[in-house]
């Protein structure tokens, strides 16, 4: 990836998805010969943003990625063929130098890799690795790394191990990694016997996910959810990331959507706006558009296209569901800021419509908010969101501004939230919002435990797994084929209900 340090040896620029380091004269000449046009310095400098993945990608940058993707995968194939000729397996580390490999790109299969291993820093990064196609197995390298920044006399590697495992486990349940491991200096790890003991417990829980499930994946809801952005499938599970799983104030309110989705009983796909222009796939019931104003993830100038707006509105009106977080379809035009304002029932006031009075009344009781144990947490939020229609049900508001709303549009349903950082309440809220938007709320009970801190997975063989995502003991009820059952889970614990127990 692109990483630049200043003369003081401090990091100045990082882009885990960057292509700035892939430019050379021979590559530019080959590109021109193939595509028929010449790239300019500005195509890479990009007004000083260097084609950040948050920027709506230009045609030139998309072409450059595709060009490099074909080149790199063809060279990787030469290496994997040599490895296979020696009777060995070829594994790629999804990390420091993965420019051009693009695991979700159309030419990744041509690389001929056997496996991919990568660092797991969250549920989303876990799914980013586990869902990679065209390999025989995947491996996650868990945190913390055995480095002195954590493994020192006053360090607490157990706390980091717990946080890493509890976030990753819910993703592994839905899309299992084949192997897990740790990295670093073993000489540091052995100085912390409590950490070694905790890793032994984590490994035992991981193994049970494979043995008790019989090698099967858990059941998922009978409909698909699609996250939409400028990037689509190419950036599956990668939206809102700057440098792997690092926290940023400007993104945590949106990446919480992916984090929640990574462990919910749903089949999730990633579609581009170009995909939507060709028609929403028939098996998709709910679209999700989350991100800040003007970004590739909310769409920015993509929404200047009336055909895109019409396609999404038509999907909703025919009975589809739509969930917007932050600035969905934000692109001021034709009297609105959110181009889907009619469908969402809300819009963002930019100052041009202050003469209009927009009263709101909060509806405290709704299917979507039924499991909130505290006030709604929208993270950094999105200011000045107002009601635009009589169909809008405001579920939460502050200072006269909408924070959470639901609406109907034709035969479809929409949900809007000003932000959705990851926590147990918000994950459950998104879970409920998706089922409500899909018109499937009557089927929700069997996919969730009563307590939002606990999640459940049901398998084709009848097994049921309940797991506690917190470091507190939890007693709750789960739905089984034999009816409700009360279970007790220790801190971070999990319990299998097998056969008659289920």
């Amino acid at each position: 990836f692109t990483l630049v340090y200043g003369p003081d040896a401090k990091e100045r620029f990082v882009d885990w998805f960057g292509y700035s380091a892939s430019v050379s004269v021979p590559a530019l000449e080959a590109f021109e010969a193939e595509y028929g046009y010449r790239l300019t310095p500005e195509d890479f400098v990009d007004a000083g943003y260097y084609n950040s993945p948050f920027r709506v990608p230009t045609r030139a940058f998309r072409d450059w990625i595709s060009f490099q993707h074909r080149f790199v995968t063809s060279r990787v194939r030469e290496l994997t063929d040599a490895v296979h000729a020696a009777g060995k397996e070829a594994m790629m580390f999804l990390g420091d130098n993965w420019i051009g490999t693009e695991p979700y790109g159309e030419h990744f299969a041509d690389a001929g890799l056997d496996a991919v291993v990568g660092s797991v820093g969250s549920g989303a990064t876990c799914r980013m690795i586990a869902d990679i196609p065209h390999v025989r197995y995947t491996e996650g390298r868990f945190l913390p790394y055995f480095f002195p920044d954590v493994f020192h006399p006053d360090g607490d590697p157990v706390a980091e191990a717990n946080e890493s495992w509890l976030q990753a486990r819910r993703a592994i349940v839905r899309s299992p990694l084949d192997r897990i491991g740790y990295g670093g200096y073993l000489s540091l790890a052995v100085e912390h016997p409590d950490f070694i003991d905790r890793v032994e417990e984590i490994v035992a829980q991981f193994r049970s996910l494979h043995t008790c499930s019989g090698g099967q994946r858990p059941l998922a809801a009978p409909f698909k959810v699609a996250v939409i952005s400028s990037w689509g499938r190419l950036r599956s599970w990668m939206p809102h990331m700057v440098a792997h799983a690092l926290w940023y104030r400007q993104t945590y309110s949106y990446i919480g959507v992916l984090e929640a989705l990574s462990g919910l009983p749903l089949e999730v796909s990633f579609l581009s706006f170009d995909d939507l222009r060709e028609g929403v796939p028939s098996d998709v019931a709910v679209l999700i558009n989350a991100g800040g104003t003007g970004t590739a993830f909310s769409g920015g100038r993509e929404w200047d296209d009336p055909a895109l707006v019409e396609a999404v509105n038509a999907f909703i009106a025919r009975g589809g569901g739509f969930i917007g977080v932050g600035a969905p379809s934000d692109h001021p035009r034709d009297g609105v800021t959110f181009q889907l304002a009619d469908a969402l029932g809300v819009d963002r006031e930019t100052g041009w419509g202050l003469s209009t009075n927009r009263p709101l009344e909060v509806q405290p009781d709704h299917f979507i908010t039924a499991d909130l144990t505290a006030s709604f947490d929208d993270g950094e939020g999105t200011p000045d969101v107002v009601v635009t229609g009589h169909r809008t049900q405001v579920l939460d508001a502050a200072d006269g501004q909408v924070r959470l709303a639901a609406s109907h549009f034709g035969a479809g349903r929409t949900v809007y939230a000003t932000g959705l950082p990851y926590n147990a309440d918000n994950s459950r809220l998104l879970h409920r919002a998706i089922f409500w938007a899909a018109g499937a709320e009557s089927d929700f009970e069997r996919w969730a435990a009563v307590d939002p801190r606990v999640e459940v997975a049901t398998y084709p063989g009848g097994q049921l797994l309940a797991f506690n995502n917190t470091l507190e003991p939890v007693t709750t009820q789960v739905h089984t084929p034999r009816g409700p059952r009360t279970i007790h889970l220790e801190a971070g614990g999990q319990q299998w209900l097998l056969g008659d127990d289920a």
Side-chain angles (χ1 to χ4, degrees):
F1 56 86
T2 306
L3 186 59
V4 179
Y5 285 85
D8 56 359
K10 293 183 178 180
E11 185 179 290
R12 288 290 185 270
F13 183 90
V14 59
D15 182 1
W16 209 60
F17 308 95
Y19 273 75
S20 298
S22 68
V23 183
S24 69
V25 172
L28 291 171
E29 291 173 344
F31 178 92
E32 182 180 2
E34 180 175 340
Y35 282 82
Y37 70 94
R38 177 178 294 183
L39 295 175
T40 69
E42 179 56 25
D43 289 320
F44 298 99
V45 174
D46 183 35
Y49 295 107
Y50 298 96
N51 292 300
S52 157
F54 288 77
R55 298 272 282 173
V56 176
T58 62
R59 174 205 167 193
F61 188 54
R62 289 176 185 270
D63 286 348
W64 182 254
I65 290 177
S66 181
F67 168 76
Q68 289 287 9
H69 180 40
R70 290 195 306 275
F71 174 81
V72 170
T73 51
S74 68
R75 297 308 187 272
V76 171
R77 186 53 182 257
E78 295 176 8
L79 299 175
T80 55
D81 285 346
V83 170
H84 292 155
K88 305 294 183 181
E89 292 183 342
M91 175 183 279
M92 180 184 86
F93 182 75
L94 182 63
D96 296 355
N97 291 284
W98 66 290
I99 287 176
T101 56
E102 295 295 352
Y104 293 95
E106 60 179 320
H107 302 290
F108 181 70
D110 300 338
L113 288 160
D114 297 291
V116 172
V117 58
S119 178
V120 174
S122 63
T125 53
C126 185
R127 289 295 296 267
M128 178 178 67
I129 299 163
D131 286 13
I132 291 174
H134 310 304
V135 292
R136 291 193 295 108
Y137 62 94
T138 55
E139 177 180 331
R141 188 166 296 172
F142 277 47
L143 299 178
Y145 278 94
F146 305 163
F147 290 163
D149 60 331
V150 176
F151 288 84
H152 56 82
D154 297 323
D156 191 359
V158 172
E160 290 208 22
N162 284 333
E163 181 181 4
S164 176
W165 171 242
L166 293 182
Q167 284 189 298
R169 178 179 59 181
R170 56 192 301 274
I172 294 172
V173 167
R174 303 302 169 190
S175 182
L177 292 166
D178 298 287
R179 308 194 317 192
I180 63 173
Y182 291 84
Y185 301 103
L186 291 174
S187 59
L188 294 177
V190 297
E191 296 298 321
H192 294 262
D194 55 338
F195 173 77
I196 301 299
D197 292 341
R198 180 58 182 137
V199 169
E200 185 177 4
E201 295 169 353
I202 289 172
V203 169
Q205 289 187 342
F206 173 77
R207 285 178 176 147
S208 79
L209 298 182
H210 285 273
T211 57
C212 294
S213 67
Q216 296 179 308
R217 290 195 176 196
L219 300 172
F223 56 82
K224 283 186 179 180
V225 175
V227 177
I228 61 174
S229 72
S230 296
W231 293 106
R233 177 175 171 77
L234 189 70
R235 291 285 171 262
S236 296
W237 298 107
M238 304 175 194
H240 316 294
M241 293 184 188
V242 179
H244 197 46
L246 294 185
W247 185 93
Y248 286 82
R249 182 185 62 80
Q250 295 89 343
T251 64
Y252 79 96
S253 302
Y254 312 124
I255 203 169
V257 174
L258 289 182
E259 194 65 21
L261 287 173
S262 72
L264 292 178
L266 300 162
E267 187 172 349
V268 181
S269 62
F270 292 81
L271 299 176
S272 70
F273 296 116
D274 286 340
D275 294 329
L276 299 184
R277 291 180 178 98
E278 296 176 5
V280 179
S282 59
D283 57 351
V284 171
V286 179
L287 298 175
I288 298 178
N289 183 215
T293 298
T295 65
F297 308 119
S298 64
R301 65 173 182 268
E302 300 263 17
W303 294 102
D304 195 45
D305 179 7
L308 173 61
V309 177
E310 181 181 351
V312 177
N313 275 332
F315 164 76
I316 301 169
R318 289 194 301 266
F322 185 92
I323 296 176
V325 179
S329 72
D330 189 315
H331 183 73
R333 171 182 166 145
D334 298 333
V336 294
T337 301
F338 294 168
Q339 290 305 302
L340 298 178
D342 284 346
L344 288 168
V346 298
D347 196 11
R348 187 172 183 187
E349 173 58 65
T350 61
W352 296 344
L354 291 177
S355 297
T356 303
N357 182 35
R358 298 183 176 93
L360 61 82
E361 182 177 343
V362 176
Q363 179 175 324
D365 298 318
H366 194 279
F367 174 83
I368 292 173
T369 56
D371 289 336
L372 283 181
T373 62
S375 60
F376 172 57
D377 177 10
D378 68 343
E380 298 301 308
T382 304
D384 303 318
V385 175
V386 297
V387 173
T388 60
H390 66 278
R391 300 180 303 271
T392 307
Q393 298 170 286
V394 179
L395 310 184
D396 191 276
D399 300 322
Q401 302 168 79
V402 176
R403 299 206 307 161
L404 183 66
S407 189
H408 293 76
F409 184 72
R413 295 174 171 183
T414 64
V415 181
Y416 173 78
T418 46
L420 203 75
Y422 176 73
N423 56 51
D425 271 8
N426 279 354
S427 182
R428 176 59 60 86
L429 186 144
L430 180 62
H431 193 179
R432 281 183 166 273
I434 289 170
F435 270 70
W436 184 83
E441 60 266 44
S442 63
D443 191 41
F444 178 78
E445 183 183 72
R446 72 187 186 98
W447 300 100
V450 171
D451 193 310
R453 296 173 295 176
V454 172
E455 291 181 301
V456 296
T458 304
Y459 291 80
Q463 313 96 308
L464 184 144
L465 171 67
F467 48 100
N468 179 4
N469 291 323
T470 73
L471 293 175
E472 303 171 348
V474 177
T475 299
T476 188
Q477 278 193 345
V478 297
H479 180 81
T480 76
R482 297 174 180 271
R485 173 167 174 178
T486 299
I487 61 171
H488 177 78
L489 296 171
E490 296 298 334
Q494 61 187 47
Q495 181 177 340
W496 286 92
L497 302 179
L498 307 172
D500 293 338
D501 290 338

